[in-house]
Amino acid sequence: MSTPNTNYTKPLPDTEGLHGIFWEGARRGELLLQQCRECGTKWNQGSGFCPGCLAADFDWVPAAGTGTIYARIVMHQVYWPSYKDDVPYNVVWVELDEGPLMTANVVGAANDEIEIGRRVEVVFDAVTAEITIPKFRLI
């Protein structure tokens, strides 16, 4: 896990409600998914209802933290001033080994190395003392 950055100026995630559990896990270096107690479906954070059966009874469970790049894009436009030094930067959808898709960035690789089908593993970027963002690296 990286050392927190005291000068972080990029947008920060919503940590209220259900989202808070996900971000607390990330701060501990743990990638969490929601899992339905009724049908076993796993999904990425933030919903009070199972996307498989619509039950509202679920647990938070640790994910393996590995997956496959499902889609990718390289951002060349500066949409937010705080990202001006990052362009071009990548945004990917990772299909986690448990099934859900997760939007993230791949770090430690050139953008042309980030290809659909490549395997990745989670790393945690402590961007502030309170917020740690899951990202991925190629494996």
Side-chain angles (χ1 to χ4, degrees):
M1 209 168 345
S2 64
T3 303
N5 179 349
T6 57
N7 297 319
Y8 193 78
T9 60
K10 294 176 182 153
L12 293 171
D14 175 9
T15 60
E16 299 298 316
L18 285 176
H19 300 283
I21 296 168
F22 176 85
W23 293 108
E24 281 298 317
R27 195 163 75 173
R28 293 189 310 268
E30 186 175 38
L31 185 63
L32 297 176
L33 297 173
Q34 291 173 265
Q35 181 174 18
C36 181
R37 291 181 185 154
E38 298 293 321
C39 71
T41 297
K42 292 180 182 177
W43 66 96
N44 198 1
Q45 56 102 11
S47 174
F49 299 94
C50 172
C53 70
L54 300 179
D57 190 19
F58 58 87
D59 294 308
W60 287 89
V61 297
T66 52
T68 304
I69 296 174
Y70 179 85
R72 64 175 284 281
I73 189 170
V74 176
M75 304 297 286
H76 294 273
Q77 178 70 36
V78 178
Y79 292 101
W80 296 277
S82 57
Y83 285 84
K84 72 179 177 354
D85 295 333
D86 296 336
V87 283
Y89 63 93
N90 67 77
V91 178
V92 298
W93 266 357
V94 172
E95 182 175 18
L96 298 172
D97 289 344
E98 293 82 3
L101 293 173
M102 182 174 177
T103 304
N105 305 107
V106 173
V107 296
N111 287 327
D112 61 357
E113 295 178 273
I114 301 166
E115 299 172 338
I116 293 171
R118 293 284 307 260
R119 295 284 295 160
V120 291
E121 65 184 355
V122 73
V123 294
F124 294 93
D125 185 4
V127 297
T128 72
E130 297 81 27
I131 301 293
T132 299
I133 298 176
K135 298 182 178 181
F136 289 87
R137 67 176 167 218
L138 300 176
I139 53 175

